[in-house]
Amino acid sequence: MVFTPYSITLLFISLFMVVVYGYLWPRRGARGVRPLAWLFLFAAIWCLGSSFRNAAGENDAQQLWTLVNFAGIITTPLLYLFFVVEYCGYERHFQIRFLRFLWIVPLLTFAAALTNDYHHLLWLDPPRLAGTVLLWYGPLFWFYIAFSVFAMIIALVILLGSLLSV
């Protein structure tokens, strides 16, 4: 592994996010803190995976760290939506069952990432260049992108609604 300044910076950002998670978790009884703490933890996983993926030299290590990176990526939009819903007090507008049902998409997407070599629905099988992992995206990836954008738009609408109602 060869750590570049970019990889080292991502490691420090990841460490900072874990420290913030450690600060937030004891305060999880406050409104919005629990999903915010989880958001920081999974963003730390995202940065950690990205750092090690960029530092990894061989393809197998890059693929492993891409999966770690992806575990953080796929959870952050939904955790951000949960944070906004709870912080703005919109829990009454969403049933808990519906919010839990939303976890199916990231979980199935991660399962597809783990088994991508068998179906290539998430990442297509591109030609490999020496020392790099290229990602070409398949139809399931674009479905997840649409899901993430939808979650972020809902969060934005809730935030704007809270801002305008104050």
Side-chain angles (χ1 to χ4, degrees):
M1 287 203 172
V2 178
F3 285 95
T4 63
Y6 176 68
S7 298
I8 293 169
T9 303
L10 284 173
L11 283 176
F12 280 116
I13 292 170
S14 181
L15 178 64
F16 173 75
M17 289 184 184
V18 169
V19 168
V20 172
Y21 169 81
Y23 174 79
L24 289 173
W25 190 249
R27 294 156 180 78
R28 64 187 175 272
R31 173 176 286 216
V33 172
R34 184 179 304 240
L36 183 63
W38 284 110
L39 177 65
F40 271 95
L41 183 65
F42 278 97
I45 292 170
W46 181 353
C47 287
L48 184 74
S50 186
S51 173
F52 279 95
R53 187 189 74 185
N54 288 323
E58 59 274 354
N59 282 343
D60 292 337
Q62 281 184 346
Q63 288 176 341
L64 171 70
W65 289 109
T66 297
L67 288 174
V68 173
N69 182 17
F70 199 65
I73 290 171
I74 63 171
T75 55
T76 52
L78 196 55
L79 287 170
Y80 180 70
L81 174 63
F82 291 167
F83 163 69
V84 169
V85 165
E86 189 174 317
Y87 183 75
C88 293
Y90 278 73
E91 300 101 330
R92 64 187 181 279
H93 299 291
F94 294 92
Q95 292 182 354
I96 298 297
R97 288 184 306 198
F98 173 72
L99 292 176
R100 289 187 182 147
F101 177 73
L102 290 176
W103 276 110
I104 290 175
V105 175
L107 290 174
L108 288 178
T109 305
F110 190 68
L114 291 174
T115 61
N116 190 64
D117 290 338
Y118 300 108
H119 51 73
H120 300 289
L121 291 174
L122 193 60
W123 297 301
L124 301 175
D125 197 18
R128 306 235 180 224
L129 298 177
T132 61
V133 174
L134 296 176
L135 297 177
W136 290 0
Y137 303 112
L140 187 57
F141 176 83
W142 296 112
F143 172 77
Y144 183 75
I145 292 297
F147 172 81
S148 296
V149 169
F150 183 68
M152 297 303 281
I153 288 172
I154 291 173
L156 177 66
V157 168
I158 292 171
L159 281 173
L160 289 176
S162 291
L163 180 68
L164 295 176
S165 69
V166 172

